[in-house]
């Protein structure tokens, strides 16, 4: 689908003009949007606009990271929008010159549609031209990065406090899911930060960028986002390490308990096994009180070992450690 928007010299905004009429003298500047175009519509990037084949190839492949390329009379900018549910990146390609802007994307992008219909009423956008349009698109896309970052931060706080009284396995699963989502966001936001840095620091882009301070503001937002993501990644790592330590401590206590029980019953099992043999001539079997003597010895051995383990501090370890 191709749609057009033209701003006339009088300030009036006209929608859905044929492409050939966009170059009339009364057109101050225009915006053409390619949304999930067909193969024939994609060919217009070459036949009508005469864009460079490499830029067209980047549009068609949809595998580019955010970047900016400078050509003779226009800029080619690749930006990424974020899907709020899946956190996957959606590519938005932008060709911008002094009197036109061309956007190319495979799926609908809500922020772009909002600006498209806002154009008719916003005098500032109409007067600002393609440069302000590029700023508005970037600003809206970057603003949409904040909600998922805040949401993940809240989830981390819930896991840290464990208000839902979840098990360690459930908590660990939640931490790893959050770390995966943070990685997805980081993979999108850092290239966008690098893109904005190049835009505000490159002198060759001054002809296409008006009011550089507004792009600096977007760059500051991206810096804040990167800091938040890195801080949340560190927090998630700390939470993960804490729960792994608790799980390891719990395993050590279980193993220690089994070791104590096994150590106590090992000599007792030996004595019971020795006197459980079916030999006819065993001198200890004929005594009237031998059974009570053997049981007494077993009790003394068990008590002695319990005393020994207590002196070693193993029972104090059990008492002082909590999950």
């Amino acid at each position: 689908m191709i749609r057009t928007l033209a701003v006339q010299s009088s300030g009036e905004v006209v929608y859905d003009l044929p492409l050939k009429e966009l170059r009339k003298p009364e057109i101050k500047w225009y915006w053409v949007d390619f949304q999930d175009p067909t193969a024939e519509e994609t060919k217009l990037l070459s036949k009508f606009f005469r864009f460079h084949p490499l830029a067209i190839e980047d549009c068609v492949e949809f595998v580019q990271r955010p970047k900016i390329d400078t050509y003779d009379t226009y800029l080619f900018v690749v930006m990424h929008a974020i899907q709020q549910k899946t956190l996957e990146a959606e590519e938005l390609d932008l060709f911008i010159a002094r009197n036109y802007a061309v956007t190319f994307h495979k799926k609908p992008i809500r922020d772009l549609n909002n600006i498209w219909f806002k154009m008719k009423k916003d005098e500032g956008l109409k007067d600002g031209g393609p440069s302000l349009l590029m700023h508005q698109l970037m600003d809206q896309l970057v603003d949409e990065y904040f909600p998922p970052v805040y949401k993940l931060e809240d989830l981390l706080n819930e896991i840290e406090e464990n208000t839902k009284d979840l098990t360690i396995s459930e908590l660990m699963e939640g931490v790893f899911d959050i770390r995966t989502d943070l990685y997805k966001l980081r993979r999108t936001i850092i290239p966008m930060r690098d893109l904005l840095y190049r835009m505000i620091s490159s002198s060759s882009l001054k002809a296409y960028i008006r009011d550089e301070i507004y792009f600096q503001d977007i760059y500051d937002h991206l810096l804040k986002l990167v800091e938040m993501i890195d801080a949340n990644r560190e927090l998630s790592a700390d939470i993960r390490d804490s729960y792994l330590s608790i799980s390891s401590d719990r395993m050590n206590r279980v193993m220690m308990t089994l070791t104590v029980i096994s150590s106590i019953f090992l000599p007792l099992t030996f004595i019971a096994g020795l006197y459980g043999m079916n030999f006819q001539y065993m001198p200890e079997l004929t005594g009237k009180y031998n059974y009570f003597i053997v049981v007494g010895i077993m009790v003394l051995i068990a008590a002695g070992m319990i005393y020994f383990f207590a002196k070693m501090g193993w029972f104090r370890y059990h008492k002082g450690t909590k999950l």
Side-chain angles (χ1 to χ4, degrees), residues 97-128:
R98 295 183 179 180
N99 65 329
Y100 69 82
V102 177
T103 50
F104 191 98
H105 51 104
K106 190 173 182 180
K107 296 182 179 180
I109 298 178
R110 183 185 61 181
D111 299 314
L112 185 146
N113 291 330
N114 291 341
I115 297 174
W116 181 270
F117 295 109
K118 180 182 176 182
M119 186 70 70
K120 192 169 186 178
K121 300 178 181 180
D122 195 318
E123 296 295 332
L125 270 175
K126 290 187 288 187
D127 296 338

Side-chain angles (χ1 to χ4, degrees), residues 49-297:
F49 294 101
R50 307 292 181 184
F51 292 140
H52 196 280
L54 290 178
I56 297 175
E57 181 181 353
D58 289 342
C59 289
V60 174
E61 289 182 354
F62 285 102
V63 293
Q64 298 301 315
R65 58 182 282 145
K67 67 173 186 175
I68 184 167
D69 293 330
T70 306
Y71 294 92
D72 292 336
T73 59
Y74 60 88
L75 296 178
F76 174 63
V77 185
V78 178
M79 299 175 284
H80 280 176
I82 286 287
Q83 292 184 3
Q84 295 295 317
K85 292 184 178 180
T86 64
L87 302 184
E88 296 294 337
E90 288 292 339
E91 184 175 323
L92 172 61
D93 302 312
L94 170 66
F95 297 89
I96 181 171
R98 295 183 179 180
N99 65 329
Y100 69 82
V102 177
T103 50
F104 191 98
H105 51 104
K106 190 173 182 180
K107 296 182 179 180
I109 298 178
R110 183 185 61 181
D111 299 314
L112 185 146
N113 291 330
N114 291 341
I115 297 174
W116 181 270
F117 295 109
K118 180 182 176 182
M119 186 70 70
K120 192 169 186 178
K121 300 178 181 180
D122 195 318
E123 296 295 332
L125 270 175
K126 290 187 288 187
D127 296 338
S131 176
L132 185 58
L133 172 62
M134 179 170 62
H135 167 265
Q136 288 290 309
L137 284 172
M138 288 186 172
D139 188 49
Q140 292 292 326
L141 294 181
V142 170
D143 285 346
E144 288 298 310
Y145 296 167
F146 279 96
V149 174
Y150 285 135
K151 180 180 179 181
L152 293 176
E153 192 173 59
D154 292 339
L155 289 175
L156 270 178
N157 291 332
E158 288 182 7
I159 289 177
E160 185 179 25
E161 297 173 0
N162 196 12
T163 54
K164 297 181 180 179
D165 197 23
L166 301 177
T167 64
I168 290 181
S169 298
E170 293 171 330
L171 293 170
M172 291 295 292
E173 184 178 351
V175 169
F176 284 118
D177 288 342
I178 290 174
R179 286 182 63 84
T180 300
D181 291 339
L182 288 172
Y183 174 74
K184 289 181 181 179
L185 290 170
R186 194 172 188 271
R187 191 172 54 187
T188 297
I189 293 173
I190 287 184
M192 283 291 289
R193 179 200 62 184
D194 297 340
L195 166 64
L196 265 296
Y197 178 76
R198 184 184 173 192
M199 291 180 65
I200 62 179
S201 60
S202 177
S203 57
S204 61
L205 304 179
K206 303 298 182 183
Y208 300 96
I209 298 177
R210 295 174 51 188
D211 298 327
E212 182 183 317
I213 189 173
Y214 291 105
F215 291 91
Q216 177 68 51
D217 181 65
I218 300 176
Y219 178 68
D220 292 340
H221 290 170
L222 288 167
L223 287 179
K224 179 180 179 181
L225 284 165
V226 172
E227 290 175 356
M228 292 175 64
I229 289 176
D230 288 342
N232 288 330
R233 279 167 58 86
E234 291 179 4
L235 177 60
S236 66
D238 291 341
I239 295 174
R240 177 196 61 193
D241 293 342
S242 297
Y243 282 121
L244 284 176
S245 298
I246 293 173
S247 180
S248 177
D249 178 75
R250 182 178 181 182
M251 181 62 68
N252 289 338
R253 288 196 289 141
V254 171
M255 294 302 296
M256 185 174 292
T257 301
L258 295 176
T259 301
V260 169
I261 295 173
S262 300
S263 299
I264 292 173
F265 276 91
L266 183 62
L268 307 184
T269 304
F270 171 75
I271 295 174
L274 179 64
Y275 286 97
M277 294 187 295
N278 295 320
F279 291 117
Q280 184 175 0
Y281 301 105
M282 291 184 70
E284 294 86 357
L285 297 178
T286 58
K288 184 177 180 181
Y289 300 103
N290 285 351
Y291 168 77
F292 300 101
I293 293 173
V294 171
V295 171
I297 292 173

